Amino acid sequence: MKLFKPQNNVLPGFGPTLGFTLFYLSLIVLIPLSALIFRTAGLTWGEFISTVTAPRVMASYRVTFGSAIIAALINVVFGVLVAWVLVRYRFFGRRIVDALVDLPFALPTAVTGITLATIYSSNGWVGRFLEPLGIKIAFTPLGIILAMTFIGLPFVVRTVQPVIEEIEVELEEAATCLGANRWQTLQLVIFPMLLPSILTGFALSFARGVGEYGSIIFIAGNMPMISEITPLMIITKLEQFDYQGATAIACVMLLSSFLILLVVNLLQRWSRRYAE
Amino acid sequence: MSAPLTTAVRQKNHAPTEPQVVRWLLIGIALIFLTLFLALPLAAVFSQAFEKGFSVYLAALREPDTMSSIKLTLITAAVCVPLNLFFGVTAAWAIAKFSFPGKNLLITLIDLPFSVSPVISGLIYVLIFGLQGWIGPWLQAHDIRIVFAVPGIILATIFVTFPFVARELIPLMEAQGKEEEEAALVLGATGLQTFFRVTLPNVKWGIIYGVILCNARAMGEFGAVSVVSGHIRGMTNTVPLHVEILYNEYNYTAAFAVASLLAFLALITLMVKSIAEWKVRQQLNNT
Amino acid sequence: MGIEIENISKHFGDFSALGNVSLTVPSGELVALLGPSGCGKTTLLRIIAGLETADSGRILFNGEDTTRSHVRERKVGFVFQHYALFRHMTVFDNVAFGLTVRPKSTRPSREEIRKKVTELLHLVQLENMANRYPSQLSGGQRQRIALARALAVEPQVLLLDEPFGALDAQVRAELRRWLRKLHDEIHVTSVFVTHDQEEALEVADRIVVMNRGKVEQVGTPDQVYEHPASPFVLNFLGNVNLFHGRISQGQAHLGGLQVDSKGYAGADDTPAVGYVRSHDIEIERDRQDDSSIKAVVRTILKLGPFVRISLAIEGNSEFIEAELTRDTYKHLNLQQGEQVYVRPRRVRVFVEDFQI
């Protein structure tokens, strides 16, 4: 406890509040998560490797991570565009659009899943126009990308938006005065300032896509080796009472989320490197 | 004072920007994208729900299994939100108003549930309380059910909504500093008086923001709850799980009718969230 | 009520913020803690208030040891640099706060509180602002409300942390005159922190000059200005010119200057520095006697009521600066590049190891 002694502060309540914080955090998050690690430790190395590298599981990684990368890339393009338009331009309905960006965040994933599956199916609102073009989205791997893009969009917009808001107009004015044209200003002044937040947004959107379950299973078709995502593999194993297998795969996913979390933290540190 | 005037002048002379055509083009692309991508699905939920008329819609909601799923969802939120609210406020007080080693690590750990897949959030409780879990056998011997029952649903929901209030309050309370609290103490206020009369009113909108998001997720969580729920109709089905069952039974109208409740909740959430965001900004600007 | 500060020390990590500071604040006086930023003055003020705890030493209020008592029990009024007004409360509620948080047994009635707050708002001349919120007030008004709020609890001691630091120059000048007047009316023992020498000289009964966690000098404004105890004090209160040289047998030889310095009678061929305030330098066209030295006018800066002239002196690598009144300047009719004679009116000599 001595380690946590705050230096010279007259505000009361540090001990109890920090104590409760640590207690509740351990009870709800840390102990249950460590259960996962301990359970995995019960497997031998060979069992673990053969479980997490089984062909069907490997295919699910490819589907999950591949789709998540593509979805995050789409989100970077449109997310930055939306953020820029929302901050810099004034148009009718801007506030409503701004609020709507968080819809994927607020809409329960099951609702997202059944809705996307419905409007992108061959007789749905959008699907019926794509069908004649030979594009099938629902019940194909494309559907996975679509769902991941939907749920990941707010992460890019909401990470980049505040950074655009904070760019001082003076900087652009200075660049213009120094003879840069608009494109040069965007490329040489604005873009480098946005880059860390764009990368952070990409990573967050990617992480969300990798972990997503609810919205995807309705639209993916869930065909083994083709459109089966890793979280679904865990559920499948659980339903077969293969707890060890479920745990091993979950452990791989948990490690990958920690890795992404680490990257995000490093990116945020990097983005503050010019801060005073 | 002169501040609004200067911004007005600056916006007028906002010299470097894109040509009008480019601006319209970009606004156009963004709006078309958002309409197709966000507004359309939202409209589709309500359209599908009312496809067969209002009476069918109401009948779908009145169905006993639906009513019991709504009840369970309300109970879950009623337990999770206050607990996580209490935790969020406590953690924010310790973290924002004091400095101690390991603070950044603690913040990262609090955020952890956000970066864990919902499926894993459910799985960990199965690993502890399930039949093959750590204390599963003991629980069975004493006839206590946690997973595939209501307590499991509540636990998993607490896990996935864990960070909402805390992560909203910590930066807000840090930004507000501790001078006002010090002022209150110097003026003779006790610790609790300081908290309730000075700190709390200042973070009111931040709390509302965190609570509304926490509530939305608690009522809408699917993945984690799906793992720990036994999918027993009328017993351990929350509203999102019930939507899934109806949908998988090809009862689309009923599925969308129930889904429309959740979509409605999402719209209210977005509205309150926008207002709270605006108020928080205002409060910070008044510093 | 008097305050005694006994051997207070305070460290932040490796940094020594206060090193064994002792000080007495006589009852009813208005005392300024003056020094550059980081000299420990704010830390000392917060220790007196009980907002920080000292590593060692004691604080006595009226001879009573308060070192162990909580900030709540010390009955001090504290005015924060950035006001720290409660932004969700009206001006009235802000001022009333200290009274309304008292336990029921000692809390005044609503009517008494109303009367007291109205009185205080009258005192700070903001009666008609009672229902406004802090964000609707100007900086100067906020600071006056902060003061009224601090006075509401009838503190034994009033502590002000850079009270005018965040205000613009004109409001600042106005407020400090007002503070002085207010203090003459209510006579509560007050300590305020400032880095602005002018402010300290104008407002305080007594100035405590601090540097690097130590007290350099304590005295009335006249004492510290006229008889600075160290080169630091001299330097901090006004612009000074430096003349380097040596001292032997009670006589300092500084460039072309000879100065009697009886204080260092024992020193023999010791490096020494002569300090001359800018307005203590006279400029002459013709040499009167050997106490003036030859110089060349380099630049002339007209700064409102006075004119600042920098001059180059042989053997002195730094330029020296003289401040003349406009009249004197006009009378002399100086031109850039002209050769003149400067005569320091008043030289204070310190041997080198006193260096800043």
Side-chain angles (χ1 to χ4, degrees), chain C residues 80-94:
Chain C
F80 292 81
Q81 185 181 0
H82 300 288
Y83 329 123
L85 290 177
F86 307 126
R87 62 201 110 167
H88 61 287
M89 293 182 200
T90 60
V91 162
F92 183 94
D93 290 337
N94 260 285

Side-chain angles (χ1 to χ4, degrees), chain C residues 201-265:
Chain C
L201 290 172
E202 181 175 339
V203 178
D205 293 319
R206 193 177 294 268
I207 297 179
V208 179
V209 186
M210 292 183 67
N211 182 34
R212 293 183 183 176
K214 298 234 185 270
V215 173
E216 291 271 340
Q217 189 178 3
V218 182
T220 64
D222 275 350
Q223 281 168 345
V224 291
Y225 192 79
E226 295 291 333
H227 309 284
S230 68
F232 175 82
V233 177
L234 186 62
N235 207 23
F236 199 74
L237 297 168
N239 298 325
V240 284
N241 293 298
L242 273 62
F243 294 85
H244 294 272
R246 293 189 164 277
I247 208 168
S248 42
Q249 291 148 3
Q251 185 83 3
H253 306 265
L254 311 159
L257 290 173
Q258 316 287 324
V259 187
D260 281 338
S261 32
K262 302 265 152 35
Y264 295 109

Side-chain angles (χ1 to χ4, degrees), chain A residues 9 39 89 102 182 211, chain B residues 18 84 97 117 125 132 273:
Chain A
N9 199 330
R39 268 307 188 100
Y89 307 147
D102 282 320
R182 191 62 191 156
Chain B
E18 290 72 39
N84 282 339
K97 302 289 179 188
S117 170
Y125 291 102
Q132 300 184 30
K273 176 176 174 287

Side-chain angles (χ1 to χ4, degrees), chain A residues 22-259:
Chain A
L22 293 176
F23 166 74
Y24 191 71
L25 177 72
S26 310
L27 194 71
I28 299 292
V29 180
L30 300 183
I31 295 173
L33 273 181
S34 63
L36 185 71
I37 310 288
F38 281 115
R39 268 307 188 100
T40 317
L43 292 168
T44 67
W45 184 246
E47 282 171 336
F48 177 77
I49 291 295
S50 69
T51 311
V52 301
T53 57
R56 198 170 151 191
V57 179
M58 290 301 277
S60 84
Y61 297 148
R62 271 195 296 278
V63 171
T64 309
F65 289 88
S67 308
I69 284 181
I70 297 170
L73 284 175
I74 297 173
N75 275 332
V76 160
V77 174
F78 285 100
V80 173
L81 174 71
V82 168
W84 181 264
V85 167
L86 282 178
V87 175
R88 286 306 177 90
Y89 307 147
R90 293 291 168 270
F91 54 90
F92 181 74
R94 188 180 63 93
R95 280 175 160 258
I96 294 173
V97 172
D98 192 18
L100 194 67
V101 166
D102 282 320
L103 181 72
F105 205 64
L107 197 65
T109 52
V111 180
T112 306
I114 64 169
T115 311
L116 290 180
T118 306
I119 57 178
Y120 286 91
S121 68
S122 53
N123 55 359
W125 288 2
V126 179
R128 75 174 70 147
F129 297 107
L130 298 176
E131 182 96 344
L133 305 173
I135 305 171
K136 277 190 157 203
I137 291 185
F139 317 121
T140 71
L142 280 183
I144 301 177
I145 296 175
L146 177 78
M148 285 180 174
T149 312
F150 184 89
I151 52 150
L153 181 71
F155 289 90
V156 178
V157 179
R158 295 301 183 224
T159 319
V160 177
Q161 196 176 11
V163 184
I164 299 180
E165 271 167 11
E166 270 170 31
I167 294 177
E168 293 159 45
V169 178
E170 280 86 349
L171 277 178
E172 287 160 73
E173 286 171 348
T176 312
C177 291
L178 293 167
N181 63 33
R182 191 62 191 156
W183 179 243
Q184 287 171 319
T185 308
L186 285 177
Q187 203 188 340
L188 300 173
V189 179
I190 308 281
F191 182 71
M193 294 179 76
L194 296 187
L195 188 62
S197 65
I198 293 176
L199 292 175
T200 308
F202 176 86
L204 290 174
S205 167
F206 173 73
R208 181 69 209 266
V210 167
E212 182 56 18
Y213 172 70
S215 57
I216 296 175
I217 50 155
F218 292 99
I219 198 174
N222 306 327
M223 282 175 303
M225 308 300 290
I226 297 171
S227 57
E228 200 175 40
I229 52 166
T230 313
L232 183 63
M233 286 300 314
I234 299 174
I235 300 258
T236 313
K237 297 258 178 208
L238 266 183
E239 278 168 359
Q240 295 159 354
F241 298 103
D242 179 6
Y243 280 39
Q244 305 281 21
T247 313
I249 299 170
C251 201
V252 171
M253 287 204 68
L254 196 64
L255 285 179
S256 76
S257 352
F258 287 168
L259 216 62

